[in-house]
Amino acid sequence: MVVGICGGGQLARMLALAAHPMGIRTLVLDPAGDACAALVTKHLHGAFDDEALLDELADASDVVTYEFENVPLDSVRYLARKVPVYPPVSALEATQDRFGEKNLFRELGIETPGFTAVSSQPELESAIQEIGLPSVLKTRRMGYDGKGQLILKEAADVEGAWERLGGVPAILEAFVSFDREVSSIAVRSRDGEINVYPLSENLHGDGILKTATSKPHDPIKPLAQDYATRLLEHFDYVGVLALEFFQVGDRLLANEFAPRVHNSGHWTIEGAQTSQFENHLRAVAGLALGSTEPVEHTVMINCIGEIPPLDAVMKVRCAHLHDYAKAFKPGRKVGHITVRSSDPDYLKQVTADICNLQG
Ligand code: AMP
């Protein structure tokens, strides 16, 4: 079994690493010469719309998947005419436009923050009348990790905001004073079996995920699971899907979903019976799913910009380092550290120590 992957970043790298023990081979297509997955698997080096490379990927693969949602749709459709592609192209398409994505949530009865489409400054001004302040102006396409968004707190922030965002189609969303951010990582097999991991509780800073903590037995999990299941069934989905929420009291407001393995699910490598990477591969390869039950309490800490000194990390006996072998650069996710323990208080202390190592 060969699984082809569009994209050769850290998610593809961790998919490839999870594939090896199962005897599944992988290859990645990525335009970057230094794609970090290339150190652990075969790399087709070139553009996502290079038809000769897409042919090579399709010919060499039994099934193709993707590791990020901004792969050109036309390329994925081209591949899908030659080889099974999972998750389905319809799910990928739905995530490429924030407005369409939020409308889909509404259609499926998944609660969202208030939102409306905006494609000019006058439209923004009337949208503010509807949504109010504070609110968040986001590009409809290509935004990630807090990029492509502006928080509008007061009337003065609204002036010229649409142009400041780049003068591109956007949505205005109500700013949510959430209690916390959580995500649900779920997986569906080719024959419709669904498994859902314990909820992840996520802390962000500057729009980037800093830590994700597994929350076994969280009281809001059934609602998150119900919402994730609606999406999975809507798309006749195959693979891992991540659904991100703002929690306000006993409500969950959906922010976005990702049709792929997700940063907030990295803790599953050490913290669940079967990691999200293995389960994604099992699903797309047409195999039975593995258990999503947790193993102890787990926290994942992202290494942003750089990785703390190896010696210091290794002194923490319950810490597991995942170095993506990427060049250090401010704001870039270059690795993560997972800590796991049966004692949640000890875990909190260790997490604080590791966060301090990062400065
Ligand atoms: P996004 O790019 O939509 O995933 O947003 C990145 C992060 O910005 C989220 O995880 C939140 O921490 C914050 N954020 C985005 N949208 C909102 C919102 N409507 N209200 C409050 N915070 C938000």
Side-chain angles (χ1 to χ4, degrees):
M1 167 66 66
V2 180
V3 177
I5 306 170
C6 290
Q10 66 265 23
L11 300 180
R13 180 182 164 101
M14 287 185 270
L15 282 168
L17 290 170
H20 284 296
M22 292 189 285
I24 293 177
R25 285 184 294 131
T26 51
L27 77 164
V28 300
L29 169 62
D30 196 291
D34 61 352
C36 70
L39 293 170
V40 301
T41 190
K42 187 176 171 191
H43 178 198
L44 302 179
H45 179 200
F48 289 121
D49 57 0
D50 179 329
E51 279 193 11
L53 282 180
L54 290 172
D55 288 340
E56 200 178 332
L57 181 68
D59 291 346
S61 305
D62 297 296
V63 57
V64 167
T65 189
Y66 43 89
E67 63 138 21
F68 75 120
E69 50 270 45
N70 291 322
V71 193
L73 264 188
D74 284 346
S75 304
V76 180
R77 288 201 184 104
Y78 181 87
L79 286 165
R81 286 195 288 274
K82 296 173 157 256
V83 64
V85 173
Y86 300 117
V89 186
S90 54
L92 180 68
E93 187 173 9
T95 60
Q96 291 193 351
D97 174 12
R98 284 188 193 270
F99 185 58
E101 183 181 8
K102 290 237 157 51
N103 277 318
L104 174 67
F105 288 149
R106 238 180 219 172
E107 229 173 83
L108 296 176
I110 300 171
E111 208 179 344
T112 67
F115 67 94
T116 189
V118 163
S119 39
S120 66
Q121 183 65 26
E123 273 186 31
L124 171 61
E125 278 153 27
S126 56
I128 295 283
Q129 302 305 314
E130 181 191 336
I131 303 289
L133 289 172
S135 50
V136 191
L137 185 66
K138 300 180 177 179
T139 57
R140 281 174 64 159
R141 295 186 179 276
M142 303 300 269
Y144 68 99
D145 284 350
K147 293 184 175 65
Q149 49 181 276
L150 288 176
I151 297 180
L152 310 177
K153 291 190 182 140
E154 50 193 59
D157 299 335
V158 179
E159 243 170 76
W162 186 70
E163 286 81 8
R164 275 206 305 288
L165 192 72
V168 291
I171 66 166
L172 185 73
E173 261 179 43
F175 184 88
V176 182
S177 291
F178 49 77
D179 302 325
R180 60 176 184 159
E181 290 186 85
V182 294
S183 56
S184 183
I185 311 287
V187 59
R188 187 170 182 272
S189 70
R190 283 202 208 175
D191 54 16
E193 180 191 1
I194 291 175
N195 278 350
V196 182
Y197 287 96
L199 220 54
S200 304
E201 183 179 289
N202 306 325
L203 284 181
H204 290 82
D206 303 323
I208 303 183
L209 183 68
K210 301 277 181 194
T211 64
T213 303
S214 75
K215 294 303 224 185
H217 318 300
D218 197 284
I220 201 94
K221 184 190 171 187
L223 181 60
Q225 176 157 340
D226 171 30
Y227 285 164
T229 302
R230 289 181 203 202
L231 275 174
L232 292 172
E233 288 182 342
H234 170 77
F235 290 115
D236 192 17
Y237 195 92
V238 175
V240 164
L241 174 146
L243 178 52
E244 294 184 81
F245 301 102
F246 305 124
Q247 182 174 353
V248 183
D250 58 3
R251 293 157 65 209
L252 289 177
L253 309 183
N255 179 32
E256 60 185 0
F257 81 96
R260 55 169 169 82
V261 286
H262 193 258
N263 194 174
S264 66
H266 290 359
W267 63 264
T268 61
I269 298 177
E270 288 87 9
Q273 297 284 354
T274 315
S275 78
Q276 62 165 348
F277 301 98
E278 178 173 339
N279 259 334
H280 185 73
L281 291 160
R282 287 181 183 226
V284 303
L287 303 169
L289 301 180
S291 163
T292 48
E293 286 300 307
V295 180
E296 300 187 320
H297 297 275
T298 315
V299 181
M300 188 266 344
I301 303 144
N302 264 341
C303 303
I304 297 163
E306 60 183 9
I307 291 186
L310 194 59
D311 270 9
V313 178
M314 293 301 148
K315 279 191 188 130
V316 182
R317 291 174 63 87
C318 65
H320 302 271
L321 175 67
H322 298 257
D323 181 336
Y324 306 152
K326 285 163 68 167
F328 292 176
K329 204 164 117 184
R332 191 179 208 198
K333 292 173 185 169
V334 292
H336 73 264
I337 297 165
T338 313
V339 285
R340 197 185 80 194
S341 169
S342 55
D343 177 353
D345 292 330
Y346 172 68
L347 210 53
K348 260 193 204 142
Q349 182 52 52
V350 165
T351 302
D353 291 347
I354 291 180
C355 289
N356 284 338
L357 285 177
Q358 300 207 95

